[in-house]
Amino acid sequence: MTKSQETLMQKWAVKTVSDPTVGNLQTPVNSGWFTKMVINNLPVYRQGLSPNFRGLETGAIFGYLLFGPFSMTGPLRNTDFALTAGLLGGVGAIQILTALFILYNAAGKSPNVQPPDATVANPPSDLFTRAGWNDFTNGFWLGGTGGVVFAWLLIGTLHLDTVLPLIKEYHLLGA
């Protein structure tokens, strides 16, 4: 074998990360540069953010994305109340997710701290404390509710409610 073949084999070999009994193997998928870039740029793992801002950003994304399914595929999708149903359904879903975050933090022990692995070499330590998780939950509730309201205002003010029936008529959304 040539030197380049040996280095290529070493580069693509499956190795254990730290403890072979954990079952987390270092593969080209979970330790590749693209996967590391995407995962480490998520709000939960991005360096330099407070837990409150991590929750705010995550909640805003969830809230903004939850509005569409509730308004376009819900039981009131063909009525005049579709946008309001999407707003109320999205806010309700954010409330339920926030309650689940509160229950996760209310258990006997503090939240589970993620150890460093092949993908995330430096997980945030301030998020996985009781106070950090509480701040994350507060930010998630505020960002999620704000994201749903922003999507509702965006759809209502840009008159997209007049365009959406045309899209539905041509079955582009599967409705």
Side-chain angles (χ1 to χ4, degrees):
M1 261 196 259
T2 64
K3 280 246 192 228
S4 63
Q5 287 176 333
E6 286 180 16
T7 57
L8 186 64
M9 287 175 55
Q10 289 174 351
K11 180 181 175 183
W12 287 93
V14 176
K15 303 179 234 20
T16 58
V17 177
S18 58
D19 185 11
T21 61
V22 172
N24 187 6
L25 299 176
Q26 184 175 359
T27 65
V29 175
N30 71 350
S31 64
W33 67 270
F34 182 74
T35 305
K36 283 184 176 181
M37 180 189 65
V38 169
I39 298 293
N40 288 319
N41 279 322
L42 291 174
V44 174
Y45 297 120
R46 195 175 318 137
Q47 297 297 319
L49 296 180
S50 68
N52 194 359
F53 195 75
R54 290 177 201 277
L56 187 71
E57 193 171 342
T58 306
I61 293 167
F62 270 88
Y64 186 75
L65 293 177
L66 279 174
F67 174 77
F70 282 111
S71 64
M72 297 181 74
T73 62
L76 298 175
R77 66 181 170 264
N78 292 328
T79 66
D80 293 337
F81 302 109
L83 297 180
T84 306
L87 172 72
L88 295 176
V91 168
I94 292 296
Q95 303 300 321
I96 291 170
L97 288 170
T98 303
L100 292 174
F101 285 155
I102 290 170
L103 286 175
Y104 179 72
N105 197 21
K109 301 187 304 185
S110 60
N112 188 16
V113 178
Q114 175 186 351
D117 61 5
T119 309
V120 181
N122 197 8
S125 59
D126 60 345
L127 178 62
F128 299 109
T129 62
R130 284 199 183 275
W133 194 258
N134 191 26
D135 288 346
F136 177 82
T137 304
N138 291 337
F140 182 84
W141 178 81
L142 182 63
T145 306
V148 173
V149 170
F150 178 73
W152 177 69
L153 287 173
L154 192 66
I155 294 286
T157 57
L158 291 181
H159 303 292
L160 292 176
D161 54 343
T162 58
V163 176
L164 289 177
L166 297 173
I167 294 172
K168 287 180 183 179
E169 182 179 333
Y170 293 107
H171 303 291
L172 295 176
L173 296 176

